[in-house]
């Protein structure tokens, strides 16, 4: 882990996206996965939605430069493509706040150091209202205290212990910490009959 | 104390508790394909790492392969580049690769079970959300992203949090014309597309017990559409019989020893679950989706729902879905004209699926002006189907008989919808834009229902057409 990898507090302007069950095909349509790198994905984030809805938040000049994405329930459902969080990250998103997240998407975001915090529906509605009225105000995601700060409020946020610790310690790129257990990995491999031969 | 398969497999594969509090979990089988692996190999190179257990990863190519002509180089230069990169990565890191010329190529979730690579009691990971499919054999199978593909390549491990466990008991006998697809669509409709977040699903009950392995694969495949990353069926005689004599299954005495271990990994009688849900199989009718997620489904005789009757939280979503689909509330969905019919995918692209469709198609022709594709899930499925003459039956009826791949399910190759086309599909996702046209529309249903729709040119209750 490097000092740069530690995620304690993220602040910035928010970009609100309404709707539940927004799947990763909508975040980045499959035709943009035809590449051997993640480069350039930011240009196509929500591409089809943006073409069909000219007033899509990602098209609005006032939201350019925003770093906190506000979403609804079950955001990122469907395909496991890490292209989705990569497209958002490369567009400039540094943290996501919503009512709930699809599991693989949540894991993929954590694995690239992009925290996803869940709020109850009442607090999320208040946050959305505040952002609609004050798009220029910064909001703060505090991973250490598990709260989201906006206006004069501190609202409690849900972030699983495992993901929070990975982000706070800076081990969200898990390869290094997994490799530390070299001998234990071999021990488990040797204990499994299908590895050693039944 | 009575334990579940989840408990036992998790315990057997636990390497240690990580500083984050998560479990370092050993992954016994890693499957890779061309779309989500190239960046992982690049990360490995940049970190100067090797593949830790090259023999525990298997590769195939499925998402981008053309299903008409597979002459190399592919007409699509980017698809060709992805194919070349996968071959190069597998060669460089010494990973077995079932390429197009290997006879073993196919959709990754079809070939794993078919080759006997997926076995009970394993942990399985693949950079694809439908990895839950492999749970049908009694494995814990996780869909993962590219960073986690890197982790498995480099360490054969993942940092994971143990899910809660919900048992879904399906009891009774489904009626004729009702298939595994209808059962899982009913489960997702009832529990919601996010009902399974944080859970693994254990499918059990008399209806699941009598299902063939291929039916169980269909059920487990769509666990993720209900939000559950993992879905499994406990290994039993059906499982062992299925695995016997498969190319990668143990043989002779080793097979018997394997069966003993596989049995020992099944959920014990009396084990506790975090939640139990019961479903009556006899009450299920042929299902299909009317909306833009797999939970928005109805029975074929039910009216298309009206968003004014929706639960408060769903009203906007329902009206958005109905507007996108251009479906009229209050009418039955039967009679809706279709433009395209698609039989295939990791959900329903296996031999029994093609046979079920063929039963409806036999002696009939598809409707005029319709485009209809049969895309076998693997080269082995295609070979067996051809040996049975199924390809001729489909071709005579007016279907196109394609080569193995993911095809129209996600529209990453040449097989795409055009404009507003409406597709009756045996695949797993009806998301906006899923089939390659941003405004194309998908209705999910069983392969037999797709076949029936192809013949009539419109949605029809397959029970009217069964011999």
């Amino acid at each position: 882990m490097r000092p740069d990898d530690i995620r304690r507090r993220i602040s910035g302007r928010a970009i609100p996206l309404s709707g539940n069950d927004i799947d990763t095909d909508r975040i980045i349509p499959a035709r943009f996965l035809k590449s051997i790198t993640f480069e350039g994905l930011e240009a196509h984030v929500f591409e089809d939605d943006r073409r069909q809805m000219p007033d899509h938040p990602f098209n609005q000049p006032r939201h350019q430069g925003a770093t906190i994405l506000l979403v609804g329930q079950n955001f990122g459902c469907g395909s496991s493509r890490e292209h989705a969080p990569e497209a958002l990250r490369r567009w400039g998103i540094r943290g996501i706040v919503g009512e709930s997240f699809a599991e693989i998407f949540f894991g993929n975001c954590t694995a690239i150091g992009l925290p996803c915090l869940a709020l109850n529906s009442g607090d999320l509605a208040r946050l959305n209202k505040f952002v609609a009225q004050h798009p220029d105000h910064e909001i703060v995601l505090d991973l250490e205290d598990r709260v989201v700060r906006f206006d004069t409020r501190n609202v409690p946020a849900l972030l699983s212990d495992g993901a929070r610790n990975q982000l706070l310690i800076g081990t969200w790129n898990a390869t290094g910490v997994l490799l530390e257990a070299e001998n234990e990995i071999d021990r488990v491999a040797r204990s499994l009959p299908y590895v050693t031969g039944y | 104390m009575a334990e579940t398969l989840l408990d036992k497999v998790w315990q057997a594969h636990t390497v240690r508790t990580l500083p984050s509090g998560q479990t370092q979990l050993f992954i016994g089988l890693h499957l890779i394909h061309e779309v989500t692996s190239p960046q992982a190999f690049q990360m490995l190179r940049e970190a100067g790492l090797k593949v830790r257990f090259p023999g525990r990863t298997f590769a195939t190519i499925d998402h981008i392969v053309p299903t008409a002509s597979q002459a190399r180089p592919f007409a699509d230069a980017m698809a060709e580049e992805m194919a070349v990169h996968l071959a190069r990565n597998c060669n460089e890191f010494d990973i077995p690769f079932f390429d197009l010329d290997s006879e073993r190529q196919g959709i990754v979730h079809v070939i794993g079970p078919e080759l006997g690579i997926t076995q009970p009691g394993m942990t399985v990971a693949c950079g694809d959300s439908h990895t839950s499919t492999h749970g049908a054999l009694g494995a814990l199978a996780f869909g993962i992203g590219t960073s986690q593909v890197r982790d498995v390549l480099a360490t054969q491990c993942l940092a994971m949090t143990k899910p809660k466990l919900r048992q879904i008991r399906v009891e009774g006998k489904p009626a004729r014309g009702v298939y595994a697809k209808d059962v899982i669509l009913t489960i997702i409709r009832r529990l919601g597309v996010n009902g399974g977040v944080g859970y693994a699903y254990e499918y059990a009950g008399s209806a699941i017990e009598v299902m063939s392995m291929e039916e169980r694969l269909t059920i487990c495949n769509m666990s993720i559409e209900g939000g559950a990353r993992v879905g499994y069926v406990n290994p039993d005689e059906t499982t062992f019989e299925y695995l016997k004599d498969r190319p990668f299954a143990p043989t002779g005495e080793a097979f018997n020893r394997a069966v003993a271990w596989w049995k020992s990994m099944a959920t014990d009688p009396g084990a506790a679950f975090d939640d139990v849900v019961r479903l009556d199989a006899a009450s299920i009718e042929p299902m299909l989706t009317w909306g833009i997620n797999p939970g928005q489904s109805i029975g074929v005789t039910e009216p298309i729902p009206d968003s004014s009757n929706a639960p408060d939280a769903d009203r906007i979503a329902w009206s958005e879905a109905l507007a996108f689909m251009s479906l009229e509330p209050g009418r039955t969905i039967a009679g809706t004209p279709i433009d395209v019919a698609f039989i295939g995918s990791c959900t329903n692209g296996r031999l029994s699926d093609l046979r079920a469709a063929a039963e409806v198609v036999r002696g009939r022709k598809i409707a005029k002006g319709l485009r209809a594709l049969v895309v076998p899930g693997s080269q082995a499925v295609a070979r067996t189907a051809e040996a049975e003459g199924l390809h001729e039956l489909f071709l005579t009826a007016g279907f196109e008989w394609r080569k193995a791949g993911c095809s129209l399910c996600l529209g990453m190759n040449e097989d795409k919808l055009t404009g507003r086309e409406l597709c009756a599909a045996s695949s797993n996702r009806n998301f906006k834009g899923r089939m390659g046209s941003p405004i194309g529309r998908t209705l999910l249903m069983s392969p037999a229902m797709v076949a029936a729709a192809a013949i009539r040119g419109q949605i029809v209750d397959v029970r009217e057409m069964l011999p």
Side-chain angles (χ1 to χ4, degrees):
Chain A
M1 79 205 77
R2 302 166 302 171
D4 286 359
D5 291 344
I6 290 170
R7 304 271 185 278
R8 270 202 198 98
R9 218 160 275 109
I10 291 160
S11 57
R13 286 189 293 118
I15 173 168
L17 186 72
S18 63
N20 296 332
D21 306 314
I22 292 177
D23 57 79
T24 53
D25 275 86
R26 283 171 70 178
I27 299 173
I28 187 83
R31 62 185 181 279
F32 302 114
L33 276 50
K34 221 182 271 175
S35 172
I36 53 163
T37 71
F38 291 134
E39 279 163 31
L41 286 175
E42 64 278 9
H44 303 294
V45 69
F46 293 112
E47 171 135 336
D48 292 342
D49 281 2
R50 292 167 74 174
R51 282 178 191 272
Q52 289 165 34
M53 297 176 255
D55 61 345
H56 190 282
F58 278 71
N59 287 342
Q60 295 181 20
R62 65 183 175 142
H63 291 312
Q64 304 308 306
T67 55
I68 311 291
L69 177 63
L70 306 187
V71 299
Q73 286 174 15
N74 199 27
F75 185 70
C77 59
S79 160
S80 68
R81 58 190 70 166
E82 198 164 298
H83 306 68
E86 276 290 349
L88 292 169
R89 189 181 68 83
R90 286 162 190 262
W91 190 85
I93 298 300
R94 293 293 173 264
I96 311 181
V97 179
E99 197 169 336
S100 62
F101 301 92
E103 198 167 321
I104 301 177
F105 178 83
F106 178 90
N108 286 345
C109 285
T110 308
I112 62 170
L114 185 60
C116 298
L117 276 68
L119 303 186
N120 70 42
S121 58
D123 285 334
L124 187 63
R126 279 183 279 277
L127 172 57
N128 269 300
K129 193 173 166 197
F130 174 77
V131 170
Q133 288 166 350
H134 309 282
D136 294 333
H137 283 225
E138 290 216 330
I139 66 168
V140 179
L141 316 189
D142 188 326
L143 311 193
E144 209 153 20
D145 293 346
R146 282 190 262 225
V147 295
V148 174
R149 304 183 207 284
F150 62 97
D151 201 1
T152 53
R153 291 171 189 274
N154 282 329
V155 300
L158 197 72
L159 175 65
S160 66
D161 291 343
R164 172 179 173 268
N165 292 340
Q166 281 186 310
L167 292 159
L168 288 178
I169 311 167
T171 58
W172 41 267
N173 177 337
T175 308
V177 72
L178 293 171
L179 269 179
E180 285 169 8
E182 197 75 15
N183 294 333
E184 291 96 320
I185 296 171
D186 284 333
R187 178 186 54 75
V188 170
R190 280 196 306 270
S191 74
L192 292 165
Y194 66 84
V195 175
T196 54
Y198 292 103
Chain B
M1 206 183 98
E3 287 183 313
T4 65
L5 180 143
L6 170 65
D7 296 329
K8 296 180 196 182
V9 176
W10 192 272
Q11 184 55 40
H13 292 79
T14 294
V15 172
R16 62 168 177 154
T17 300
L18 291 163
S20 66
Q22 293 163 301
T23 302
Q24 178 164 353
L25 197 69
F26 184 84
I27 299 302
L29 172 62
H30 186 211
L31 301 164
I32 60 170
H33 60 82
E34 74 280 15
V35 178
T36 56
S37 69
Q39 301 87 350
F41 282 110
Q42 192 51 34
M43 295 181 210
L44 221 58
R45 280 191 200 95
E46 283 164 10
L49 294 166
K50 294 212 176 320
V51 174
R52 186 72 174 70
F53 291 84
R56 304 229 64 85
T57 294
F58 294 85
T60 193
I61 179 161
D62 52 10
H63 285 63
I64 55 100
V65 295
T67 60
S69 165
Q70 295 187 335
R72 301 291 290 269
F74 298 148
D76 179 343
M78 208 49 238
E80 178 64 23
E81 188 179 350
M82 293 173 82
V84 166
H85 267 265
L86 181 60
R88 191 181 298 160
N89 287 331
C90 290
N91 188 45
E92 179 182 338
F93 290 97
D94 212 17
I95 290 166
F97 176 32
F98 306 125
D99 202 350
L100 287 173
D101 59 7
S102 77
E103 297 191 346
R104 287 178 168 179
Q105 174 268 341
I107 305 175
V108 64
H109 310 308
V110 175
I111 67 162
E114 173 180 274
L115 291 169
I117 297 174
T118 310
Q119 294 169 14
M122 281 181 165
T123 47
V124 182
C126 174
D128 191 285
S129 61
H130 291 112
T131 305
S132 57
T133 310
H134 303 262
L137 286 114
L140 286 187
F142 306 94
I144 58 176
T146 296
S147 293
Q148 289 181 307
V149 172
R150 170 204 63 210
D151 290 345
V152 180
L153 288 171
T155 74
Q156 206 62 38
C157 293
L158 286 171
M160 298 287 278
T161 302
K162 188 178 174 186
K164 289 185 287 185
L165 184 59
R166 172 178 292 142
Q167 191 187 46
I168 299 178
R169 300 194 65 85
V170 189
E171 306 285 3
K173 194 170 179 294
R176 182 150 167 78
V178 174
Y179 302 86
K181 182 64 156 285
D182 303 305
V183 174
I184 187 64
L185 282 172
T186 302
I187 291 171
I188 298 165
R189 178 192 192 182
R190 166 131 165 231
L191 299 175
V193 288
N194 60 354
V197 174
Y199 281 94
Y201 281 176
E202 175 177 301
Y203 301 100
S206 57
I208 303 289
E209 283 163 21
V210 299
M211 277 186 184
S212 69
M213 185 50 61
E214 295 195 351
E215 293 175 296
R216 295 175 184 183
L217 288 161
T218 298
I219 299 271
C220 290
N221 171 275
M222 288 189 72
S223 302
I224 186 65
E225 308 311 334
R229 193 179 197 175
V230 165
Y232 68 84
V233 176
N234 280 301
D236 61 9
E237 291 306 322
T238 302
T239 321
F240 312 143
E241 200 49 46
Y242 175 88
L243 281 167
K244 206 168 191 173
D245 301 326
R246 302 242 164 217
F248 285 81
T251 53
E253 270 310 299
F255 185 81
N256 297 334
R257 288 192 294 274
V259 167
W261 187 68
W262 295 340
K263 279 182 177 165
S264 77
M265 300 306 278
T267 294
D268 298 324
F273 300 91
D274 298 292
D275 189 28
V276 178
V277 170
R278 287 183 176 79
L279 221 76
D280 172 22
S283 70
I284 298 172
E285 63 169 343
M287 299 289 293
L288 68 170
T289 58
W290 54 265
I292 53 170
N293 73 50
Q296 293 172 330
S297 68
I298 47 174
V300 65
T301 63
E302 285 179 66
I304 296 166
D306 191 326
S307 56
S308 60
N309 301 331
D312 284 350
D314 294 331
R315 193 160 301 136
I316 295 169
W318 281 27
S319 77
E320 184 194 338
L322 287 166
F324 183 83
M325 295 302 291
S326 301
L327 290 174
E328 202 184 308
R331 296 183 44 168
T332 60
I333 200 158
T336 306
I338 63 160
D339 306 297
V340 180
F342 171 57
I343 296 170
S345 86
C346 58
T347 311
N348 282 123
R350 298 181 182 81
L351 187 63
S352 57
D353 300 314
L354 305 194
R355 283 178 180 158
E359 197 180 10
V360 176
V361 170
R362 193 178 304 276
R364 295 176 165 132
K365 300 253 185 233
I366 63 166
K368 273 205 167 52
L370 194 81
R371 192 153 59 98
L373 269 65
V374 181
V375 186
S378 71
Q379 292 188 21
V381 169
R383 275 195 305 275
T384 319
E386 286 168 10
E388 291 183 10
L390 295 185
H391 65 309
E392 281 163 359
L393 182 150
F394 284 117
L395 285 165
T396 306
F399 283 85
E400 296 174 48
W401 178 255
R402 295 296 189 85
K403 295 183 183 339
C406 299
S407 179
L408 196 50
C409 175
L410 85 165
M412 274 194 82
N413 68 350
E414 287 81 355
D415 307 333
K416 290 178 180 18
L417 296 186
T418 309
R420 290 287 285 154
E421 278 183 334
L422 184 69
C423 179
S426 74
S427 49
N428 43 56
R429 288 190 174 136
N430 51 341
F431 296 154
K432 284 182 178 178
R434 173 73 178 180
M435 292 186 143
S437 164
I439 50 172
R441 297 167 294 159
T442 308
L443 302 178
L444 304 176
M445 61 195 82
S446 72
M449 279 282 286
V450 176
I455 303 296
R456 294 277 178 87
Q458 57 184 33
I459 299 304
V460 58
D461 187 339
V462 67
R463 293 173 293 190
E464 294 170 18
M465 295 185 65
L466 286 172

